[in-house]
Amino acid sequence: MRLILQRVLKAMIKTGPDIVTSIDRGLVVMVSFLKGDSKADAEWMALKALRVRLWNCAKGDKRWDTNLMQNKYEVLIVPQPLFLVEGSPEDVPMEDEKEEMKLYEVFVDKAQKEYAKEKGKDKVKAAPYGKQVLLDMVGDGPVTIIIHSLQEDPKEVKKKK
């Protein structure tokens, strides 16, 4: 599973002339699934996206010190099935579109529930899965991060820390 995280000042998803959803300052998270990805991968990566520290602290003296939940910024999740390009042999795109849609829903649901715990109700928005959309965003920084799940068991990753 791969994520592209893009720090933004604002972003919106359109289908044709209609705006489907939009956010102000925060993070656009583009999600791509690999063959073999699991529900545990999707949940762990959702938490990773919410917790990555991409903003300075309030005082401004520590860079890369706070995450979007601490700042009460918004998240826009976008399915990106074709993000997987030629790379390592392990990077095999998921072939089952229904399974990919389920994992996308798991990812979005986990992010929404986790952010809601931090009193961030309605801060996580998602583009529709399987539709042609236009992503319009204004970058902040620019800051772009790519995260790969490495197909490790999330429980094992926690034990390593």
Side-chain angles (χ1 to χ4, degrees), residues 14-159:
K14 294 169 101 178
T15 56
D18 302 321
I19 296 174
V20 175
T21 191
S22 64
I23 63 168
D24 289 319
R25 192 169 192 186
L27 200 60
V28 169
V29 178
M30 291 173 258
V31 184
S32 186
F33 297 97
L34 295 166
K35 186 175 183 179
D37 283 339
S38 68
K39 180 180 175 185
D41 290 319
E43 290 177 339
W44 184 77
M45 290 289 274
L47 296 177
K48 183 79 172 166
L50 295 178
R51 294 177 180 160
V52 67
R53 295 170 184 252
L54 297 175
W55 289 271
N56 297 346
C57 70
K59 294 178 193 174
D61 60 342
K62 288 180 90 178
R63 296 180 58 131
W64 308 98
D65 189 53
T66 61
N67 63 43
L68 63 97
M69 292 189 299
Q70 291 168 311
N71 291 298
K72 306 230 182 315
Y73 295 154
E74 295 180 286
V75 185
L76 178 58
I77 302 170
V78 182
Q80 189 77 21
L82 299 177
F83 168 59
L84 299 170
V85 294
E86 290 182 35
S88 74
E90 296 87 34
D91 291 352
V92 178
M94 188 167 279
E95 296 168 359
D96 184 348
E97 191 174 325
K98 288 181 184 178
E99 182 63 22
E100 190 172 40
M101 184 172 73
K102 279 190 218 171
L103 289 177
Y104 179 70
E105 290 169 356
V106 166
F107 184 93
V108 170
D109 187 58
K110 183 66 173 182
Q112 288 172 333
K113 286 179 179 172
E114 187 67 21
Y115 208 150
K117 290 180 191 175
E118 301 293 324
K119 299 183 177 144
K121 188 176 183 214
D122 300 326
K123 294 281 189 180
V124 177
K125 299 176 181 171
Y129 180 87
K131 288 191 175 183
Q132 183 71 30
V133 299
L134 171 68
L135 170 60
D136 186 8
M137 62 184 174
V138 177
D140 179 16
V143 175
T144 304
I145 307 285
I146 299 174
I147 300 175
H148 192 291
S149 68
L150 302 176
Q151 305 255 294
E152 290 188 54
D153 181 348
K155 291 177 186 168
E156 293 300 315
V157 172
K158 286 181 184 177
K159 287 179 187 177

